[in-house]
PDB file of all heavy atoms in Angstrom:
ATOM      1  N   LEU A   1     108.322  83.933 110.151  1.00  0.00           N
ATOM      2  CA  LEU A   1     107.049  83.320 109.775  1.00  0.00           C
ATOM      3  C   LEU A   1     106.249  82.885 110.997  1.00  0.00           C
ATOM      4  O   LEU A   1     105.010  82.876 110.963  1.00  0.00           O
ATOM      5  CB  LEU A   1     107.302  82.138 108.845  1.00  0.00           C
ATOM      6  CG  LEU A   1     107.887  82.517 107.472  1.00  0.00           C
ATOM      7  CD1 LEU A   1     108.167  81.260 106.644  1.00  0.00           C
ATOM      8  CD2 LEU A   1     106.971  83.464 106.716  1.00  0.00           C
ATOM      9  N   GLU A   2     106.921  82.549 112.086  1.00  0.00           N
ATOM     10  CA  GLU A   2     106.215  82.214 113.325  1.00  0.00           C
ATOM     11  C   GLU A   2     105.453  83.421 113.866  1.00  0.00           C
ATOM     12  O   GLU A   2     104.428  83.273 114.535  1.00  0.00           O
ATOM     13  CB  GLU A   2     107.209  81.713 114.375  1.00  0.00           C
ATOM     14  CG  GLU A   2     107.698  80.303 114.131  1.00  0.00           C
ATOM     15  CD  GLU A   2     108.692  79.845 115.179  1.00  0.00           C
ATOM     16  OE1 GLU A   2     108.928  80.604 116.147  1.00  0.00           O
ATOM     17  OE2 GLU A   2     109.244  78.736 115.042  1.00  0.00           O
ATOM     18  N   ILE A   3     105.950  84.615 113.577  1.00  0.00           N
ATOM     19  CA  ILE A   3     105.258  85.837 113.984  1.00  0.00           C
ATOM     20  C   ILE A   3     104.106  86.140 113.032  1.00  0.00           C
ATOM     21  O   ILE A   3     103.000  86.475 113.454  1.00  0.00           O
ATOM     22  CB  ILE A   3     106.251  87.025 114.020  1.00  0.00           C
ATOM     23  CG1 ILE A   3     107.317  86.796 115.085  1.00  0.00           C
ATOM     24  CG2 ILE A   3     105.509  88.340 114.263  1.00  0.00           C
ATOM     25  CD1 ILE A   3     108.458  87.795 115.022  1.00  0.00           C
ATOM     26  N   LEU A   4     104.346  85.998 111.738  1.00  0.00           N
ATOM     27  CA  LEU A   4     103.367  86.425 110.737  1.00  0.00           C
ATOM     28  C   LEU A   4     102.204  85.457 110.586  1.00  0.00           C
ATOM     29  O   LEU A   4     101.043  85.886 110.476  1.00  0.00           O
ATOM     30  CB  LEU A   4     104.054  86.610 109.381  1.00  0.00           C
ATOM     31  CG  LEU A   4     105.223  87.592 109.313  1.00  0.00           C
ATOM     32  CD1 LEU A   4     105.711  87.711 107.870  1.00  0.00           C
ATOM     33  CD2 LEU A   4     104.853  88.953 109.874  1.00  0.00           C
ATOM     34  N   SER A   5     102.480  84.171 110.545  1.00  0.00           N
ATOM     35  CA  SER A   5     101.450  83.194 110.177  1.00  0.00           C
ATOM     36  C   SER A   5     100.225  83.210 111.077  1.00  0.00           C
ATOM     37  O   SER A   5      99.089  83.204 110.574  1.00  0.00           O
ATOM     38  CB  SER A   5     102.062  81.786 110.140  1.00  0.00           C
ATOM     39  OG  SER A   5     102.999  81.691 109.085  1.00  0.00           O
ATOM     40  N   PRO A   6     100.351  83.218 112.415  1.00  0.00           N
ATOM     41  CA  PRO A   6      99.146  83.171 113.250  1.00  0.00           C
ATOM     42  C   PRO A   6      98.395  84.490 113.345  1.00  0.00           C
ATOM     43  O   PRO A   6      97.252  84.515 113.808  1.00  0.00           O
ATOM     44  CB  PRO A   6      99.691  82.761 114.626  1.00  0.00           C
ATOM     45  CG  PRO A   6     101.089  83.269 114.644  1.00  0.00           C
ATOM     46  CD  PRO A   6     101.576  83.142 113.225  1.00  0.00           C
ATOM     47  N   ARG A   7      98.991  85.567 112.923  1.00  0.00           N
ATOM     48  CA  ARG A   7      98.345  86.882 113.003  1.00  0.00           C
ATOM     49  C   ARG A   7      97.608  87.122 111.689  1.00  0.00           C
ATOM     50  O   ARG A   7      98.208  87.518 110.686  1.00  0.00           O
ATOM     51  CB  ARG A   7      99.381  87.966 113.307  1.00  0.00           C
ATOM     52  CG  ARG A   7      99.946  87.868 114.734  1.00  0.00           C
ATOM     53  CD  ARG A   7     101.121  88.809 114.936  1.00  0.00           C
ATOM     54  NE  ARG A   7     101.482  88.945 116.342  1.00  0.00           N
ATOM     55  CZ  ARG A   7     102.317  88.135 117.002  1.00  0.00           C
ATOM     56  NH1 ARG A   7     102.879  87.105 116.357  1.00  0.00           N
ATOM     57  NH2 ARG A   7     102.579  88.343 118.284  1.00  0.00           N
ATOM     58  N   LYS A   8      96.324  86.887 111.709  1.00  0.00           N
ATOM     59  CA  LYS A   8      95.535  86.849 110.481  1.00  0.00           C
ATOM     60  C   LYS A   8      95.438  88.205 109.793  1.00  0.00           C
ATOM     61  O   LYS A   8      95.051  88.273 108.619  1.00  0.00           O
ATOM     62  CB  LYS A   8      94.140  86.312 110.780  1.00  0.00           C
ATOM     63  CG  LYS A   8      94.128  84.882 111.294  1.00  0.00           C
ATOM     64  CD  LYS A   8      94.791  83.926 110.311  1.00  0.00           C
ATOM     65  CE  LYS A   8      94.725  82.492 110.811  1.00  0.00           C
ATOM     66  NZ  LYS A   8      95.417  81.555 109.895  1.00  0.00           N
ATOM     67  N   GLN A   9      95.783  89.288 110.484  1.00  0.00           N
ATOM     68  CA  GLN A   9      95.775  90.585 109.806  1.00  0.00           C
ATOM     69  C   GLN A   9      96.927  90.710 108.817  1.00  0.00           C
ATOM     70  O   GLN A   9      96.918  91.580 107.944  1.00  0.00           O
ATOM     71  CB  GLN A   9      95.834  91.735 110.822  1.00  0.00           C
ATOM     72  CG  GLN A   9      97.170  91.949 111.529  1.00  0.00           C
ATOM     73  CD  GLN A   9      97.293  91.144 112.813  1.00  0.00           C
ATOM     74  OE1 GLN A   9      96.747  90.052 112.914  1.00  0.00           O
ATOM     75  NE2 GLN A   9      97.970  91.707 113.804  1.00  0.00           N
ATOM     76  N   VAL A  10      97.930  89.850 108.924  1.00  0.00           N
ATOM     77  CA  VAL A  10      99.054  89.865 107.978  1.00  0.00           C
ATOM     78  C   VAL A  10      98.599  89.198 106.686  1.00  0.00           C
ATOM     79  O   VAL A  10      98.286  88.006 106.662  1.00  0.00           O
ATOM     80  CB  VAL A  10     100.283  89.152 108.548  1.00  0.00           C
ATOM     81  CG1 VAL A  10     101.409  89.128 107.512  1.00  0.00           C
ATOM     82  CG2 VAL A  10     100.752  89.835 109.835  1.00  0.00           C
ATOM     83  N   LYS A  11      98.557  89.961 105.628  1.00  0.00           N
ATOM     84  CA  LYS A  11      98.049  89.456 104.341  1.00  0.00           C
ATOM     85  C   LYS A  11      99.156  89.186 103.322  1.00  0.00           C
ATOM     86  O   LYS A  11      98.978  88.350 102.430  1.00  0.00           O
ATOM     87  CB  LYS A  11      97.069  90.466 103.743  1.00  0.00           C
ATOM     88  CG  LYS A  11      95.980  90.937 104.705  1.00  0.00           C
ATOM     89  CD  LYS A  11      95.161  89.807 105.294  1.00  0.00           C
ATOM     90  CE  LYS A  11      94.033  90.353 106.168  1.00  0.00           C
ATOM     91  NZ  LYS A  11      93.264  89.266 106.829  1.00  0.00           N
ATOM     92  N   ALA A  12     100.275  89.903 103.439  1.00  0.00           N
ATOM     93  CA  ALA A  12     101.327  89.747 102.436  1.00  0.00           C
ATOM     94  C   ALA A  12     102.683  90.050 103.035  1.00  0.00           C
ATOM     95  O   ALA A  12     102.805  90.884 103.946  1.00  0.00           O
ATOM     96  CB  ALA A  12     101.072  90.659 101.238  1.00  0.00           C
ATOM     97  N   LEU A  13     103.690  89.367 102.536  1.00  0.00           N
ATOM     98  CA  LEU A  13     105.089  89.659 102.821  1.00  0.00           C
ATOM     99  C   LEU A  13     105.723  90.056 101.491  1.00  0.00           C
ATOM    100  O   LEU A  13     105.754  89.263 100.545  1.00  0.00           O
ATOM    101  CB  LEU A  13     105.785  88.441 103.417  1.00  0.00           C
ATOM    102  CG  LEU A  13     107.272  88.600 103.727  1.00  0.00           C
ATOM    103  CD1 LEU A  13     107.505  89.696 104.755  1.00  0.00           C
ATOM    104  CD2 LEU A  13     107.876  87.272 104.213  1.00  0.00           C
ATOM    105  N   ILE A  14     106.193  91.291 101.424  1.00  0.00           N
ATOM    106  CA  ILE A  14     106.706  91.866 100.179  1.00  0.00           C
ATOM    107  C   ILE A  14     108.221  92.007 100.300  1.00  0.00           C
ATOM    108  O   ILE A  14     108.720  92.555 101.295  1.00  0.00           O
ATOM    109  CB  ILE A  14     106.048  93.228  99.911  1.00  0.00           C
ATOM    110  CG1 ILE A  14     104.521  93.067  99.837  1.00  0.00           C
ATOM    111  CG2 ILE A  14     106.588  93.850  98.631  1.00  0.00           C
ATOM    112  CD1 ILE A  14     103.771  94.377  99.846  1.00  0.00           C
ATOM    113  N   PHE A  15     108.962  91.542  99.307  1.00  0.00           N
ATOM    114  CA  PHE A  15     110.418  91.537  99.399  1.00  0.00           C
ATOM    115  C   PHE A  15     111.029  91.746  98.018  1.00  0.00           C
ATOM    116  O   PHE A  15     110.339  91.747  96.994  1.00  0.00           O
ATOM    117  CB  PHE A  15     110.917  90.222 100.018  1.00  0.00           C
ATOM    118  CG  PHE A  15     110.416  88.982  99.331  1.00  0.00           C
ATOM    119  CD1 PHE A  15     111.159  88.369  98.330  1.00  0.00           C
ATOM    120  CD2 PHE A  15     109.187  88.428  99.681  1.00  0.00           C
ATOM    121  CE1 PHE A  15     110.689  87.228  97.686  1.00  0.00           C
ATOM    122  CE2 PHE A  15     108.714  87.278  99.051  1.00  0.00           C
ATOM    123  CZ  PHE A  15     109.458  86.687  98.052  1.00  0.00           C
ATOM    124  N   GLY A  16     112.342  91.920  97.990  1.00  0.00           N
ATOM    125  CA  GLY A  16     113.090  92.088  96.747  1.00  0.00           C
ATOM    126  C   GLY A  16     114.244  91.109  96.715  1.00  0.00           C
ATOM    127  O   GLY A  16     114.070  89.916  96.844  1.00  0.00           O
ATOM    128  N   HIS A  17     115.462  91.622  96.524  1.00  0.00           N
ATOM    129  CA  HIS A  17     116.710  90.882  96.678  1.00  0.00           C
ATOM    130  C   HIS A  17     117.012  89.922  95.535  1.00  0.00           C
ATOM    131  O   HIS A  17     118.155  89.836  95.084  1.00  0.00           O
ATOM    132  CB  HIS A  17     116.705  90.123  98.016  1.00  0.00           C
ATOM    133  CG  HIS A  17     118.021  89.500  98.371  1.00  0.00           C
ATOM    134  ND1 HIS A  17     119.174  90.238  98.498  1.00  0.00           N
ATOM    135  CD2 HIS A  17     118.355  88.200  98.637  1.00  0.00           C
ATOM    136  CE1 HIS A  17     120.167  89.423  98.833  1.00  0.00           C
ATOM    137  NE2 HIS A  17     119.698  88.190  98.915  1.00  0.00           N
ATOM    138  N   THR A  18     116.035  89.182  95.033  1.00  0.00           N
ATOM    139  CA  THR A  18     116.298  88.178  93.993  1.00  0.00           C
ATOM    140  C   THR A  18     116.216  88.738  92.576  1.00  0.00           C
ATOM    141  O   THR A  18     116.502  88.022  91.619  1.00  0.00           O
ATOM    142  CB  THR A  18     115.305  87.008  94.097  1.00  0.00           C
ATOM    143  OG1 THR A  18     114.009  87.456  93.695  1.00  0.00           O
ATOM    144  CG2 THR A  18     115.249  86.443  95.507  1.00  0.00           C
ATOM    145  N   HIS A  19     115.787  90.010  92.451  1.00  0.00           N
ATOM    146  CA  HIS A  19     115.637  90.639  91.135  1.00  0.00           C
ATOM    147  C   HIS A  19     114.692  89.816  90.257  1.00  0.00           C
ATOM    148  O   HIS A  19     114.942  89.608  89.058  1.00  0.00           O
ATOM    149  CB  HIS A  19     116.986  90.819  90.447  1.00  0.00           C
ATOM    150  CG  HIS A  19     117.930  91.739  91.165  1.00  0.00           C
ATOM    151  ND1 HIS A  19     118.768  92.606  90.503  1.00  0.00           N
ATOM    152  CD2 HIS A  19     118.164  91.952  92.483  1.00  0.00           C
ATOM    153  CE1 HIS A  19     119.492  93.296  91.376  1.00  0.00           C
ATOM    154  NE2 HIS A  19     119.129  92.899  92.602  1.00  0.00           N
ATOM    155  N   THR A  20     113.591  89.393  90.861  1.00  0.00           N
ATOM    156  CA  THR A  20     112.638  88.512  90.196  1.00  0.00           C
ATOM    157  C   THR A  20     111.221  88.975  90.485  1.00  0.00           C
ATOM    158  O   THR A  20     110.904  89.361  91.621  1.00  0.00           O
ATOM    159  CB  THR A  20     112.800  87.063  90.704  1.00  0.00           C
ATOM    160  OG1 THR A  20     114.127  86.616  90.413  1.00  0.00           O
ATOM    161  CG2 THR A  20     111.807  86.118  90.043  1.00  0.00           C
ATOM    162  N   TRP A  21     110.356  88.941  89.469  1.00  0.00           N
ATOM    163  CA  TRP A  21     108.937  89.248  89.653  1.00  0.00           C
ATOM    164  C   TRP A  21     108.179  87.939  89.811  1.00  0.00           C
ATOM    165  O   TRP A  21     108.142  87.111  88.897  1.00  0.00           O
ATOM    166  CB  TRP A  21     108.429  90.047  88.462  1.00  0.00           C
ATOM    167  CG  TRP A  21     106.942  90.126  88.284  1.00  0.00           C
ATOM    168  CD1 TRP A  21     106.246  89.795  87.153  1.00  0.00           C
ATOM    169  CD2 TRP A  21     105.963  90.604  89.218  1.00  0.00           C
ATOM    170  NE1 TRP A  21     104.901  90.027  87.327  1.00  0.00           N
ATOM    171  CE2 TRP A  21     104.700  90.523  88.597  1.00  0.00           C
ATOM    172  CE3 TRP A  21     106.037  91.084  90.536  1.00  0.00           C
ATOM    173  CZ2 TRP A  21     103.524  90.901  89.224  1.00  0.00           C
ATOM    174  CZ3 TRP A  21     104.861  91.458  91.169  1.00  0.00           C
ATOM    175  CH2 TRP A  21     103.628  91.375  90.523  1.00  0.00           C
ATOM    176  N   ASP A  22     107.582  87.740  90.996  1.00  0.00           N
ATOM    177  CA  ASP A  22     106.920  86.475  91.262  1.00  0.00           C
ATOM    178  C   ASP A  22     106.000  86.637  92.471  1.00  0.00           C
ATOM    179  O   ASP A  22     106.261  87.463  93.353  1.00  0.00           O
ATOM    180  CB  ASP A  22     107.958  85.388  91.550  1.00  0.00           C
ATOM    181  CG  ASP A  22     107.357  83.998  91.626  1.00  0.00           C
ATOM    182  OD1 ASP A  22     106.387  83.731  90.884  1.00  0.00           O
ATOM    183  OD2 ASP A  22     107.850  83.187  92.425  1.00  0.00           O
ATOM    184  N   ILE A  23     104.936  85.865  92.512  1.00  0.00           N
ATOM    185  CA  ILE A  23     104.034  85.843  93.664  1.00  0.00           C
ATOM    186  C   ILE A  23     103.693  84.392  93.987  1.00  0.00           C
ATOM    187  O   ILE A  23     103.285  83.628  93.107  1.00  0.00           O
ATOM    188  CB  ILE A  23     102.745  86.636  93.408  1.00  0.00           C
ATOM    189  CG1 ILE A  23     103.063  88.119  93.173  1.00  0.00           C
ATOM    190  CG2 ILE A  23     101.774  86.490  94.589  1.00  0.00           C
ATOM    191  CD1 ILE A  23     101.848  88.990  92.928  1.00  0.00           C
ATOM    192  N   LYS A  24     103.898  84.041  95.245  1.00  0.00           N
ATOM    193  CA  LYS A  24     103.534  82.715  95.732  1.00  0.00           C
ATOM    194  C   LYS A  24     102.659  82.886  96.970  1.00  0.00           C
ATOM    195  O   LYS A  24     102.289  84.001  97.346  1.00  0.00           O
ATOM    196  CB  LYS A  24     104.791  81.896  96.044  1.00  0.00           C
ATOM    197  CG  LYS A  24     105.579  81.458  94.810  1.00  0.00           C
ATOM    198  CD  LYS A  24     106.747  80.567  95.193  1.00  0.00           C
ATOM    199  CE  LYS A  24     107.417  79.946  93.966  1.00  0.00           C
ATOM    200  NZ  LYS A  24     108.012  80.946  93.092  1.00  0.00           N
ATOM    201  N   ASP A  25     102.337  81.751  97.614  1.00  0.00           N
ATOM    202  CA  ASP A  25     101.463  81.777  98.778  1.00  0.00           C
ATOM    203  C   ASP A  25     101.993  80.801  99.818  1.00  0.00           C
ATOM    204  O   ASP A  25     102.438  79.702  99.475  1.00  0.00           O
ATOM    205  CB  ASP A  25     100.033  81.389  98.372  1.00  0.00           C
ATOM    206  CG  ASP A  25      99.058  81.463  99.531  1.00  0.00           C
ATOM    207  OD1 ASP A  25      99.014  80.500 100.323  1.00  0.00           O
ATOM    208  OD2 ASP A  25      98.357  82.471  99.649  1.00  0.00           O
ATOM    209  N   LYS A  26     101.977  81.219 101.090  1.00  0.00           N
ATOM    210  CA  LYS A  26     102.359  80.320 102.179  1.00  0.00           C
ATOM    211  C   LYS A  26     101.434  80.566 103.358  1.00  0.00           C
ATOM    212  O   LYS A  26     101.387  81.677 103.901  1.00  0.00           O
ATOM    213  CB  LYS A  26     103.818  80.534 102.599  1.00  0.00           C
ATOM    214  CG  LYS A  26     104.261  79.583 103.718  1.00  0.00           C
ATOM    215  CD  LYS A  26     105.730  79.720 104.009  1.00  0.00           C
ATOM    216  CE  LYS A  26     106.155  78.804 105.151  1.00  0.00           C
ATOM    217  NZ  LYS A  26     105.870  77.376 104.874  1.00  0.00           N
ATOM    218  N   ASP A  27     100.691  79.535 103.718  1.00  0.00           N
ATOM    219  CA  ASP A  27      99.748  79.621 104.847  1.00  0.00           C
ATOM    220  C   ASP A  27      98.770  80.776 104.666  1.00  0.00           C
ATOM    221  O   ASP A  27      98.376  81.425 105.639  1.00  0.00           O
ATOM    222  CB  ASP A  27     100.506  79.775 106.173  1.00  0.00           C
ATOM    223  CG  ASP A  27     101.430  78.606 106.452  1.00  0.00           C
ATOM    224  OD1 ASP A  27     101.095  77.476 106.060  1.00  0.00           O
ATOM    225  OD2 ASP A  27     102.502  78.830 107.068  1.00  0.00           O
ATOM    226  N   GLY A  28      98.403  81.053 103.405  1.00  0.00           N
ATOM    227  CA  GLY A  28      97.466  82.131 103.136  1.00  0.00           C
ATOM    228  C   GLY A  28      98.092  83.499 103.024  1.00  0.00           C
ATOM    229  O   GLY A  28      97.405  84.476 102.698  1.00  0.00           O
TER     230      GLY A  28
END
């Protein structure tokens, strides 16, 4: 997150693993 958060071109972090459909927001 230290890499992603300040780089404003990063719009989304997409992941799996939890077998869950969900969308949240962190620092935009």
Side-chain angles (χ1 to χ4, degrees):
L1 294 177
E2 285 179 5
I3 296 170
L4 303 184
S5 293
R7 291 171 168 87
K8 297 302 182 182
Q9 72 271 32
V10 177
K11 310 304 184 184
L13 178 61
I14 302 169
F15 54 94
H17 189 58
T18 71
H19 297 218
T20 300
W21 163 234
D22 189 34
I23 297 181
K24 289 184 171 63
D25 183 279
K26 181 174 178 58
D27 300 327

